[in-house]
């Protein structure tokens, strides 16, 4: 699963990654990615001893952020769409406080919900409301300026003892620096936090890969086309998995790149 959120950050041009997880799981991530150098990334790790809410990530990762602009993505969110890479890069460029994303859903009561006016400007943010003011759910992907750590440090824990990401977003909204970007119908978003939604995501990934011939979340391929690594490095990564369909795919993509498939075309396709 981690390949999917990681690929989104890579599409946005982000190469400095902090993985926050429980201490029992961090060794597995370290074994998978190491320092990230093989993918042209800088990957580090931080432990969250117990669940304290999404916004606790900014306290845990304060030394990593160091007052710079940052992105936060949840490990169980999957995004896919032809215009997603370009949309992410535009959102990074326009960042002036906080950027959150909106995606239309059939039943928004299970998510944070954004209310907008007729011009698309953000009016309010509610967390799992019984009577939603819109059908725009807020996915687990956010962009923030360097002040987000200070915002998180000022938060008061909820009744559950957690630091709510909605409170962070509201703080930026009150300052007038929260922008909402509508993902639109060209982007698919799946929250895979339950067994049922994880199964739905698996079906979608299977169908895309079967009918389009592309693999979602292939970090080796994305690293190559983003210019983080070269085609030879990508091919070498594929040979290490050459006994699997995934490794063969990575090798094929590296060969295609050598033959002149330009990065812009790839980014448009994905």
């Amino acid at each position: 699963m981690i390949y999917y959120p990681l690929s989104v950050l890579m599409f946005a041009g982000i190469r400095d990654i902090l993985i926050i997880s429980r201490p029992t799981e961090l060794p597995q991530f370290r074994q998978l990615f190491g320092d990230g150098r093989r993918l042209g990334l800088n990957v580090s790790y931080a432990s969250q001893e117990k669940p304290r809410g999404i916004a606790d990530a900014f306290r845990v990762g304060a030394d990593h952020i160091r007052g710079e602009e940052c992105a936060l993505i949840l490990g169980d969110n999957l995004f896919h769409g032809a215009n997603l890479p370009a949309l992410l890069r535009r959102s990074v460029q326009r960042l002036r406080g906080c950027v959150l994303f909106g995606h239309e859903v059939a039943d928004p009561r299970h998510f944070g919900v954004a209310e907008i006016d007729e011009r698309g400007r953000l009016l309010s943010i509610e967390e799992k409301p019984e009577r939603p003011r819109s059908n725009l759910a807020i996915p687990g992907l956010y962009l923030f300026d360097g002040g987000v750590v200070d915002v998180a440090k000022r938060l008061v824990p909820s009744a559950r003892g957690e630091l709510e990401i909605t409170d962070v977003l509201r703080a930026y909204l009150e300052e007038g620096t929260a922008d909402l970007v509508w993902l639109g119908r060209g982007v698919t978003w799946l929250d895979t936090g339950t067994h049922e939604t994880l199964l739905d995501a698996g079906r979608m990934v299977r169908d895309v890969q079967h009918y389009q011939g592309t693999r979602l979340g292939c970090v080796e391929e994305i690293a190559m086309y983003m210019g983080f690594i070269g085609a030879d490095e990508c091919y070498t990564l594929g040979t290490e998995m050459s006994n699997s369909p995934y490794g063969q795919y990575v090798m094929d993509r590296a060969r295609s790149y050598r033959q002149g498939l330009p990065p812009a075309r790839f980014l448009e396709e994905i």
Side-chain angles (χ1 to χ4, degrees):
M1 276 300 300
I2 194 173
Y3 273 40
Y4 299 112
L6 178 60
S7 67
V8 172
L9 298 179
M10 295 170 68
F11 276 136
I14 297 172
R15 303 174 68 172
D16 195 5
I17 310 291
L18 176 68
I19 297 175
I20 301 175
S21 185
R22 293 181 297 185
T24 54
E25 296 171 349
L26 283 179
Q28 300 175 56
F29 291 123
R30 290 181 185 274
Q31 183 178 7
L32 182 62
F33 295 116
D35 60 7
R37 190 177 310 171
R38 286 157 56 84
L39 293 170
L41 306 174
N42 176 31
V43 178
S44 52
Y45 307 85
S47 173
Q48 188 182 43
E49 300 297 328
K50 61 180 181 179
R52 290 188 292 265
I54 296 173
D56 185 54
F58 300 114
R59 295 187 177 185
V60 174
D63 292 339
H64 179 82
I65 297 172
R66 300 188 307 273
E68 298 180 12
E69 295 178 348
C70 63
L72 171 65
I73 188 169
L74 305 187
D76 59 1
N77 276 226
L78 189 154
F79 299 85
H80 173 67
N83 62 338
L84 180 61
L87 183 147
L88 291 172
R89 292 193 299 276
R90 288 196 303 269
S91 299
V92 169
Q93 294 169 359
R94 65 183 279 185
L95 179 62
R96 61 179 186 89
C98 162
V99 172
L100 59 152
F101 298 88
H103 193 280
E104 289 185 311
V105 296
D107 187 358
R109 293 176 299 171
H110 305 292
F111 308 99
V113 177
E115 179 190 11
I116 59 176
D117 63 16
E118 63 278 1
R119 297 182 179 180
R121 293 177 298 189
L122 186 63
L123 296 178
S124 69
I125 301 169
E126 297 179 285
E127 182 63 27
K128 298 179 181 178
E130 284 296 323
R131 297 182 177 180
R133 298 178 182 178
S134 79
N135 64 342
L136 272 182
I138 302 173
L141 171 63
Y142 320 90
L143 306 176
F144 293 99
D145 64 13
V148 66
V149 172
D150 292 334
V151 173
K153 288 180 178 179
R154 294 195 299 265
L155 293 183
V156 177
S158 67
R160 298 180 299 174
E162 297 183 352
L163 301 177
E164 303 289 350
I165 189 65
T166 305
D167 291 336
V168 176
L169 300 176
R170 286 198 189 106
Y172 279 91
L173 178 59
E174 291 172 1
E175 295 177 354
T177 57
D179 292 328
L180 182 134
V181 175
W182 183 45
L183 291 177
R185 297 185 180 182
V187 174
T188 298
W189 164 56
L190 296 174
D191 182 341
T192 65
T194 68
H195 292 96
E196 183 177 355
T197 54
L198 181 61
L199 181 59
D200 289 340
R203 289 168 174 161
M204 189 208 76
V205 171
R206 178 200 60 190
D207 290 345
V208 169
Q209 294 181 171
H210 176 73
Y211 292 108
Q212 296 185 5
T214 58
R215 285 187 175 266
L216 276 66
C218 181
V219 292
E220 296 85 1
E221 178 187 17
I222 295 168
M224 177 179 65
Y225 282 103
M226 290 295 294
F228 300 166
I229 62 175
D232 291 342
E233 295 167 292
C234 182
Y235 187 86
T236 298
L237 292 175
T239 61
E240 297 174 2
M241 305 173 282
S242 60
N243 61 341
S244 70
Y246 185 90
Q248 290 293 328
Y249 175 85
V250 172
M251 295 166 63
D252 289 343
R253 281 300 188 174
R255 282 192 289 261
S256 296
Y257 184 80
R258 287 170 176 165
Q259 295 170 4
L261 181 64
R265 178 181 166 191
F266 168 80
L267 295 175
E268 289 171 1
E269 289 176 351
I270 292 294

